Amino acid sequence: MKVLFLNGPNLNLLGQREPGIYGRATLADIEAGVRKRAKPHKAKVDFRQSNHEGELVTWIQEAKGKFDVIVLNAAALTHTSVALRDAIAAVGIPTIEIHLSNTSARESFRQKSLIAPVCVGQIAGFGANSYYLAVDAAVSVNEK
Ligand code: DQA
């Protein structure tokens, strides 16, 4: 089983970026934790980050036929990107939306996700644990 983890804008700054909201773990720390969690499942993980919407769209398109599940923290693009939503719908790979923070409990502009309707489900509000829970969710989605 192959899982593609994609991270959107500003997530490269985790660890120093608003730690009260996003925690002290860096994206590299989280990647290491994801790989550890994936190991017993024998799941292969590819873990990427981009600040560019188009690059994320390209990665989603290229995932067709190569990955079984996508785990996406689209960051701010969650709330704005029709292009990401269309890419997910186009490739038809089961996609899990994740967030470190509980976006439903934050500013009103974060309460709307344009990608949610084309994802199989959401995990939000558990900090770095949202990523680790997503490994388990990806395994269960793939077993369906
Ligand atoms: C985020 C939530 C988004 O609203 C925000 O723009 C981010 C991070 C999260 O993981 O909590 O950059 O996706």
Side-chain angles (χ1 to χ4, degrees), residues 86-104:
D86 287 352
I88 296 163
V91 296
I93 300 170
T95 298
I96 299 165
E97 174 182 356
I98 65 165
H99 301 284
L100 295 144
S101 63
N102 179 2
T103 47
S104 298

Side-chain angles (χ1 to χ4, degrees), residues 8-103:
N10 300 307
L11 293 172
N12 54 313
L13 300 180
L14 284 181
Q16 29 166 318
R17 173 195 183 204
E18 300 181 87
I21 298 173
Y22 299 118
R24 293 251 170 230
T26 65
L27 198 58
D29 295 334
I30 292 175
E31 178 178 354
V34 163
R35 292 191 182 284
K36 206 171 156 190
R37 185 79 161 232
K39 223 174 187 169
H41 297 292
K42 296 189 170 38
K44 289 214 168 93
V45 169
D46 199 327
F47 197 97
R48 306 178 196 167
Q49 188 274 333
S50 178
N51 290 326
H52 304 281
E53 183 178 17
E55 189 163 38
L56 292 162
V57 168
T58 299
W59 286 341
I60 292 168
Q61 290 181 5
E62 289 173 353
K64 201 174 167 68
K66 298 195 186 109
F67 291 92
D68 302 298
V69 182
I70 296 173
V71 176
L72 175 61
N73 185 349
L77 295 172
T78 305
H79 319 296
T80 63
S81 180
V82 176
L84 276 182
R85 175 194 174 121
D86 287 352
I88 296 163
V91 296
I93 300 170
T95 298
I96 299 165
E97 174 182 356
I98 65 165
H99 301 284
L100 295 144
S101 63
N102 179 2
T103 47

